[in-house]
Amino acid sequence: MTDPDAPRLVLIVNPQSGKGRGALAGAQAEQLLRDAGAQVSVLRGSTAAHARSLAEQAVQQHPDGVVVVGGDGTVTGIADLLADTGLPVTLVPAGTGDDLARALGIPADDARAAASAALHGRPRRIDLGTIESQGVRRSFLTVAALGFDARVSERTNALRHPRGRARYHLALLIELVRLRPTDFQVQIDDEAGEWRPGTLLAVGSTSSYGGGMPICIGAEPDDGQLRVVHVASLGRLRLIRLFPLLLRGAHLARREVTVRQATRVHVSASDLIVYADGERVGTGECTIGIRPGAVTIMMPEGRADGI
């Protein structure tokens, strides 16, 4: 007999995330929750659109919480919907980058420990980034990329061969050969807009993207602020020399790198390409904002402060 007082949870699983990691992590999370006595409704979807449809179904079930198994893209695609409901979200990381989990200190290699937060964790309210481009508004939880890095992502998606990381490396080489500065026009909060030519512009609610590259080092997921990192126009050799510093989070000391805090950023450029949480958002211009404390994440025991 089902215990009427048992927590009612909806488990949304992207089985394709992390090259199939999602399927195993989902099964492990489901088993742990059922063994603990929870009532679990499992919904599976392999695309962002499908995941959002599943989240809408989840909300209609009026559960006590939602457990999401997948990568950053899976969570981001439904974060605004879940934020509007106030439902607590438990993240079981199963992507290729898992930068949100990294920022929050949620274990990416232990699905059971991550899932247990739905039952025994503590809530932590985190900020939700917003980004609007070409009339489309969406949310993000890690970093918006607006320069060289966005072009590499665009090139990677356009290539059909080779597969895996080799495709990204080929895209990186192609864009290095084609390297040119972007004439960013940037307006921060209520300040006057200014032209800021550069190689890279990143706006982060959390610090890292691309599976751990701390581009917006110092960004906190719950401080109500965005970190705006601008890298001045660089030649190929200087950009190559900067990359090891980016990987270590040591780039902020370089004179060609500037950092600001903001709650609203408007960026435009004739050749602007906009990516957020690894997904293409738009081109030409964008407006980036922040919704402080909009999403409640259930943290594993001992990690309510993200440590």
Side-chain angles (χ1 to χ4, degrees):
M1 180 179 294
T2 302
D3 181 354
D5 296 324
R8 296 176 298 106
L9 302 172
V10 174
L11 181 66
I12 299 176
V13 181
N14 180 353
Q16 302 301 320
S17 63
K19 299 179 181 178
R21 280 181 58 213
L24 177 60
Q28 292 173 338
E30 180 184 358
Q31 188 64 54
L32 177 134
L33 295 171
R34 292 193 189 281
D35 288 348
Q39 301 179 48
V40 183
S41 174
V42 183
L43 304 174
R44 293 182 175 85
S46 58
T47 67
H50 194 188
R52 188 169 182 86
S53 174
L54 296 180
E56 292 171 351
Q57 294 180 42
V59 169
Q60 293 172 6
Q61 294 181 32
H62 303 290
D64 297 311
V66 176
V67 182
V68 182
V69 181
D72 293 331
T74 303
V75 182
T76 296
I78 62 178
D80 60 331
L81 178 63
L82 297 179
D84 291 340
T85 69
L87 284 171
V89 180
T90 300
L91 172 60
V92 179
T96 54
D98 293 324
D99 288 289
L100 178 60
R102 182 176 289 103
L104 297 176
I106 297 174
D109 56 354
D110 190 339
R112 294 180 178 85
S116 69
L119 304 173
H120 309 296
R122 295 176 58 191
R124 181 183 183 187
R125 298 189 69 85
I126 67 169
D127 305 332
L128 183 63
T130 64
I131 185 165
E132 185 173 350
S133 180
Q134 296 180 303
V136 176
R137 181 183 174 91
R138 59 161 289 171
S139 301
F140 70 99
L141 288 161
T142 60
V143 177
L146 312 172
F148 175 78
D149 44 2
R151 290 187 183 132
V152 172
S153 295
E154 186 89 334
R155 179 70 60 179
T156 301
N157 292 338
L159 293 172
R160 293 293 174 261
H161 300 287
R163 295 185 176 182
R165 294 294 294 177
R167 185 170 60 171
Y168 174 82
H169 294 151
L170 176 58
L172 183 62
L173 289 173
I174 292 173
E175 290 305 316
L176 273 174
V177 171
R178 296 167 57 90
L179 181 66
R180 63 190 185 279
T182 297
D183 289 328
F184 298 112
Q185 184 177 34
V186 184
Q187 181 184 16
I188 292 179
D189 293 330
D190 294 326
E191 299 175 7
E194 61 177 342
W195 291 104
R196 302 200 65 189
T199 300
L200 185 152
L201 184 66
V203 182
S205 177
T206 57
S207 62
S208 72
Y209 64 177
M213 185 183 293
I215 182 68
C216 295
I217 191 167
E220 296 292 341
D222 56 3
D223 64 357
Q225 296 284 319
L226 297 163
R227 286 290 177 106
V228 184
V229 177
H230 176 268
V231 178
S233 300
L234 300 176
R236 296 183 188 90
L237 185 57
R238 289 180 66 189
L239 180 59
I240 291 171
R241 288 174 176 171
L242 184 65
F243 262 102
L245 301 180
L246 288 171
L247 293 172
R248 301 198 306 269
H251 56 291
L252 300 189
R254 301 290 298 186
R255 59 183 175 83
E256 59 263 48
V257 180
T258 58
V259 185
R260 293 285 306 277
Q261 284 191 309
T263 57
R264 181 183 179 276
V265 185
H266 182 80
V267 184
S268 62
S270 60
D271 58 346
L272 188 72
I273 299 173
V274 184
Y275 272 72
D277 287 352
E279 302 292 329
R280 194 181 200 273
V281 179
T283 60
E285 65 177 349
C286 67
T287 301
I288 303 171
I290 191 97
R291 294 175 58 188
V295 182
T296 300
I297 299 289
M298 297 302 294
M299 302 295 300
E301 290 181 291
R303 297 176 186 260
D305 295 321
I307 57 176

